[in-house]
Amino acid sequence: MKVSIFSTCVVDLLFPNVGQAMVEVLERLGCETTFPDKQTCCGQPTYNSGYVEESYATLKNQIDCFEDAEYVVGPAGSCVGMLREYRHFLKDDPIYGPKAEALAAKSFEFSQFLYQVLGVTDVGATLNAKATYHRSCHMTRILKEREAPFILLDHVAGLEMIPLNHIENCCGFGGTFSVKMPEISEQMVTEKMNDVIDTGAEILISADMGCLMNIGGKFNRVGKPIKIMHIAEVLNQQVDKKRMDQPKIMTVI
């Protein structure tokens, strides 16, 4: 099976280790990965800031970039959610409307692809630690993915997952929201930090590096230790191939 990697800006520029971990997990499961080099930002920052017309060139570039892909997989629910939203933004475009529908049908967040498409629950990973999981807003509300990360993490040997109170709450990042509304954003990330502290976890895991960067930054500013890990990094730890599930027949959700 062929997977085109959608790296996303934050991972590409700030956390390339996450992209590397994601590719290593996918290839271990038999996926042939490619990286279309014409990909850019998904267009979410400008579109959400009201520059709708100005964003169309970026959206169409991404559609063209991944037009020949069998599957598109990214390490961020928010950015993949934006790819799925193109079909609504371009629904009246006779050329790009149908192309946007096709892109939405084959685009998946990383953990969603593993669980929903490849049908795996145990990737053979081991991590001896106590952790909690932050569920990002766009992955939950746009992609409507509430299961995949938890099921995959439950199968990591040695990993004790502690439920996070108020898991439905935003961390206060929200892209440009944290810049436009810094006072409100600060209060929201403070509440999130306190919920994480209450778990006693030593590691905070998520599927969106934007959220982890925001929450981890708050921990750093107040001088409290916490390790942040993207789920791809967790699933790439001390892998025992003998325990690893084999991908099942693929089905597109």
Side-chain angles (χ1 to χ4, degrees):
M1 64 203 77
K2 296 182 179 179
V3 173
S4 292
I5 299 299
F6 169 39
S7 64
T8 77
C9 301
V10 172
V11 165
D12 193 30
L13 298 174
L14 301 176
F15 303 99
N17 50 301
V18 170
Q20 180 179 343
M22 177 177 71
V23 168
E24 289 179 359
V25 172
L26 289 170
E27 291 188 346
R28 197 177 295 122
L29 290 167
C31 298
E32 178 185 340
T33 62
T34 60
F35 184 84
D37 58 9
K38 291 185 178 179
Q39 64 182 287
T40 61
C41 172
C42 65
Q44 188 174 181
T46 52
Y47 193 93
N48 290 351
S49 296
Y51 296 98
V52 174
E53 293 291 335
E54 292 84 350
S55 299
Y56 284 151
T58 301
L59 273 55
K60 292 177 180 178
N61 173 77
Q62 292 294 84
I63 291 172
D64 290 339
C65 179
F66 292 113
E67 186 169 13
D68 295 329
E70 185 176 358
Y71 290 99
V72 180
V73 177
S78 180
C79 302
V80 172
M82 183 65 180
L83 295 188
R84 295 247 190 116
E85 292 286 88
Y86 288 1
R87 56 184 165 173
H88 303 304
F89 307 151
L90 295 167
K91 62 180 173 26
D92 295 327
D93 187 309
I95 296 176
Y96 281 91
K99 290 183 177 183
E101 287 283 356
L103 177 62
K106 63 185 179 183
S107 296
F108 298 89
E109 181 277 331
F110 167 68
S111 65
Q112 185 179 52
F113 182 76
L114 296 186
Y115 180 62
Q116 302 283 3
V117 180
L118 297 186
V120 300
T121 56
D122 190 344
V123 298
T126 296
L127 180 60
N128 295 307
K130 181 186 291 187
T132 192
Y133 182 84
H134 166 68
R135 196 173 66 185
S136 67
C137 298
H138 284 184
M139 185 159 165
T140 306
R141 292 159 190 157
I142 295 178
L143 295 184
K144 304 186 186 309
E145 183 55 70
R146 296 169 179 266
E147 289 185 310
F150 297 97
I151 292 172
L152 290 163
L153 290 172
D154 282 345
H155 286 80
V156 175
L159 184 62
E160 180 183 357
M161 292 300 298
I162 311 297
L164 181 66
N165 287 332
H166 309 115
I167 192 170
E168 71 281 3
N169 286 359
C170 174
C171 70
F173 181 54
T176 55
F177 170 78
S178 60
V179 177
K180 292 180 177 178
M181 305 283 184
E183 295 83 6
I184 298 174
S185 175
E186 176 68 17
Q187 291 300 312
M188 294 170 73
V189 76
T190 299
E191 290 180 2
K192 185 62 68 177
M193 178 189 68
N194 289 333
D195 284 336
V196 174
I197 291 173
D198 288 344
T199 66
E202 54 197 309
I203 301 175
L204 173 63
I205 304 169
S206 184
D208 267 283
M209 284 310 300
C211 304
L212 284 177
M213 184 169 61
N214 186 43
I215 304 168
K218 178 62 181 178
F219 271 89
N220 286 337
R221 290 194 294 278
V222 300
K224 295 182 181 295
I226 188 76
K227 181 177 182 179
I228 60 172
M229 293 183 75
H230 188 276
I231 189 170
E233 297 177 289
V234 175
L235 300 182
N236 200 36
Q237 294 285 316
Q238 302 178 47
V239 174
D240 179 358
K241 292 184 179 179
K242 291 181 290 188
R243 209 183 79 225
M244 191 171 72
D245 288 344
Q246 294 303 308
K248 300 171 185 173
I249 297 174
M250 294 182 296
T251 54
V252 177
I253 60 173

